[in-house]
Amino acid sequence: MAEGKRERRESSSEESVKLFVGQVPKNMTEVQLLTMFREFALVDEVNIIKDKTTRASRGCCFVICPTREEADKAVNACHNKKTLSGASSPLQVKYADGELERLEHKLFVGMLPKNVSEAEVSALFSTYGTIKDLQILRGSQQTSKGCAFLKYETKEQAIAALDAINGKHKMEGSSVPLVVKWADTEKERQARRAQKAQSQASNVPNTDSQHPSLFGALPLGYVPPYNGFGYQAPGYGLMQYRLPPMQNQPGFHSMIPTVNQGNALRGIAPDLGPSMNPRNYAIPPASYMGSTYHLQHPLAYPGGMFSHRPLSSSPRSVPPAVLSSNSATSSSTGKGSGGQVEGPPGANLFIYHIPQEYGDQELSTAFQGFGRVLSAKVFVDKATGVSKCFGFVSYDSPEDAQSAISMMNGFQLGGKKLKVQLKRDNKQTKPC
DNA sequence: TCATATT
């Protein structure tokens, strides 16, 4: 009885809006952030997003505003407008995933006959509420794609239309009922785009037999199916493949690149001569020597399985570190490729021209001959998952970083020469 | 060509 239309104080009411904020220095508190955002808009709450296990800030937060108007005030005042001390770029302030869609009451309408107009769709859907926005999707010649997006004023209206029309209402001249669903969120669309990009990438054959990029889009550990895996089937999503372990493939042993082993012994060390200092000598030989230097774990070295490259390939095409069995070193790096741990000043490298097919693990492996790799990260395009060909490697000592530079800068890996430099220092002088 | 992250 006492309920009625009292005030709603919950910060999660239908009205309230959640914003996602990036570029938040990891040492800021929720109270500090709340204070800051309240200079620009009404804010109910700030929640810092934390690592599940360490509870450390992940450098971003959610901000809850009581209304869309207040949220917009915060976005307009802060997005790309101010850089917090310690951040590398300006604050990113936007609606959290799914928030805009939730607020817009946006519906997708499918199975529209190609010849229906906006006016006809509008007439039908207006029965259930006020339409704020409506568009039929069209192709190049303005031909309808047979679907539309529309926005209602309220959620109740959208639900009413959805219930009444989806799967029930047939438009004039159509034998199938309309489909009405909530529109995909931005996140779902991104996921879809990524999927598409992936399958397209894997279906484009590249005939450059000299270069590993031929197989760059394939899963690591993938063996080109010269012996009957039906790889040619057009339209087949290669990401679905999970092949049995290489070692079990007939002919696997013949693929072990004796070529590389030869290259390693003949080429590497002498060729790096001029830039070598005594300290450098101390490290790589240990990895070359002994029986462990065979590629016992070929999966640790994606380049390895492409090395039925002709003998004519450059003697410098194999970095020293990847020749080692990584069993010893990888355990010492632990989650070396996982987190984003940074080493002390001078121990962090920026690497450019990383072969496209390299991931964190391969980068780590390629650089572990010079010291303990704290972390290795290759940057990838958010939408497509494709490598951007640059990344970071961190050691725990600046000396290791220096040897990595002298050994690996200019080193030919894949088609290009690596560029290896100290990472730019983004830290600002601390405010007192 | 220098760290974009959605409790």
Side-chain angles (χ1 to χ4, degrees):
Chain A
M1 182 79 70
E3 27 197 6
K5 302 189 179 178
R6 292 281 186 183
E7 48 174 45
R8 354 160 134 155
R9 302 201 53 243
E10 313 84 39
S11 49
S12 56
S13 76
E14 282 265 311
E15 280 269 294
S16 72
V17 175
K18 178 158 69 175
L19 298 175
F20 173 82
V21 181
Q23 294 301 325
V24 175
K26 292 187 167 66
N27 57 11
M28 278 187 84
T29 65
E30 289 176 345
V31 172
Q32 288 173 316
L33 288 162
L34 190 63
T35 306
M36 187 194 74
F37 282 109
R38 280 185 172 163
E39 291 179 36
F40 307 102
L42 294 174
V43 176
D44 291 327
E45 209 177 305
V46 170
N47 299 126
I48 286 175
I49 299 167
K50 305 187 184 87
D51 183 278
K52 274 193 254 319
T53 54
T54 69
R55 308 296 297 159
S57 164
R58 302 193 64 174
C60 47
C61 69
F62 290 117
V63 169
I64 315 288
C65 296
T67 65
R68 186 146 178 199
E69 287 65 38
E70 294 302 320
D72 288 338
K73 275 166 48 182
V75 172
N76 292 331
C78 302
H79 179 63
N80 269 136
K81 295 261 162 60
K82 44 200 300 122
T83 301
L84 268 26
S85 162
S88 58
S89 48
L91 275 179
Q92 299 300 106
V93 186
K94 43 202 206 190
Y95 287 96
D97 276 354
E99 204 63 358
L100 200 53
E101 293 83 357
R102 183 178 72 81
L103 259 20
E104 285 180 324
H105 320 298
K106 186 175 183 180
L107 297 177
F108 169 86
V109 183
M111 296 313 232
L112 286 172
K114 309 272 186 197
N115 58 1
V116 309
S117 65
E118 264 83 358
E120 292 168 283
V121 177
S122 179
L124 171 62
F125 282 84
S126 295
T127 315
Y128 305 95
T130 308
I131 295 171
K132 304 292 288 184
D133 191 47
L134 166 67
Q135 61 181 133
I136 291 175
L137 274 61
R138 297 182 185 281
S140 49
Q141 316 299 330
Q142 297 310 305
T143 61
S144 166
K145 292 190 170 173
C147 56
F149 287 109
L150 77 88
K151 297 173 189 170
Y152 275 110
E153 199 172 48
T154 71
K155 185 178 171 185
E156 288 67 32
Q157 296 168 358
I159 292 172
L162 206 151
D163 287 347
I165 300 176
N166 180 38
K168 297 177 185 161
H169 187 277
K170 293 178 188 168
M171 293 205 83
E172 190 180 302
S174 170
S175 58
V176 287
L178 293 180
V179 169
V180 184
K181 321 181 308 172
W182 293 107
D184 279 358
T185 65
E186 179 58 29
K187 200 177 192 175
E188 290 165 324
R189 284 163 55 200
Q190 278 189 8
R192 187 160 306 168
R193 254 185 289 143
Q195 283 265 344
K196 203 160 138 193
Q198 287 284 5
S199 62
Q200 278 172 1
S202 24
N203 281 328
V204 176
N206 173 347
T207 51
D208 177 3
S209 61
Q210 286 280 80
H211 194 274
S213 70
L214 170 58
F215 304 116
L218 301 181
L220 293 179
Y222 179 76
V223 186
Y226 292 129
N227 37 23
F229 277 95
Y231 158 69
Q232 293 85 350
Y236 197 107
L238 280 170
M239 297 314 284
Q240 323 289 3
Y241 271 105
R242 280 302 175 268
L243 292 172
M246 268 181 97
Q247 289 84 346
N248 298 334
Q249 295 302 315
F252 166 70
H253 293 286
S254 65
M255 289 184 68
I256 296 210
T258 49
V259 181
N260 271 352
Q261 299 177 5
N263 278 348
L265 297 177
R266 278 187 282 106
I268 303 294
D271 212 19
L272 294 167
S275 56
M276 266 192 144
N277 60 47
R279 186 184 153 87
N280 293 129
Y281 279 107
I283 304 150
S287 11
Y288 299 157
M289 303 293 278
S291 57
T292 59
Y293 121 95
H294 288 287
L295 293 169
Q296 291 176 346
H297 304 287
L299 300 194
Y301 174 33
M305 56 197 87
F306 307 122
S307 2
H308 45 291
R309 253 178 277 172
L311 278 157
S312 63
S313 73
S314 159
R316 293 186 60 179
S317 62
V318 180
V322 300
L323 295 168
S324 66
S325 153
N326 71 344
S327 54
T329 37
S330 68
S331 59
S332 71
T333 60
K335 50 160 191 165
S337 56
Q340 42 273 49
V341 255
E342 208 171 311
N348 303 291
L349 300 178
F350 172 72
I351 295 124
Y352 196 59
H353 292 159
I354 297 170
Q356 184 97 63
E357 66 273 18
Y358 271 45
D360 296 351
Q361 191 55 246
E362 291 72 40
L363 182 64
S364 173
T365 305
F367 278 80
Q368 68 192 7
F370 314 103
R372 198 168 99 89
V373 174
L374 297 181
S375 67
K377 178 124 204 94
V378 174
F379 277 75
V380 298
D381 182 276
K382 218 191 325 172
T384 66
V386 172
S387 163
K388 292 186 165 168
C389 300
F390 74 88
F392 299 92
V393 169
S394 294
Y395 293 101
D396 53 14
S397 98
E399 290 76 21
D400 295 339
Q402 286 303 330
S403 359
I405 291 175
S406 56
M407 294 283 279
M408 297 298 275
N409 186 37
F411 195 94
Q412 185 151 339
L413 199 55
K416 292 187 171 164
K417 291 183 175 177
L418 289 181
K419 186 161 287 191
V420 183
Q421 315 169 315
L422 283 182
K423 175 187 171 307
R424 202 181 290 154
D425 196 4
N426 243 339
K427 296 211 173 78
Q428 306 176 219
T429 48
K430 286 188 179 169
C432 302

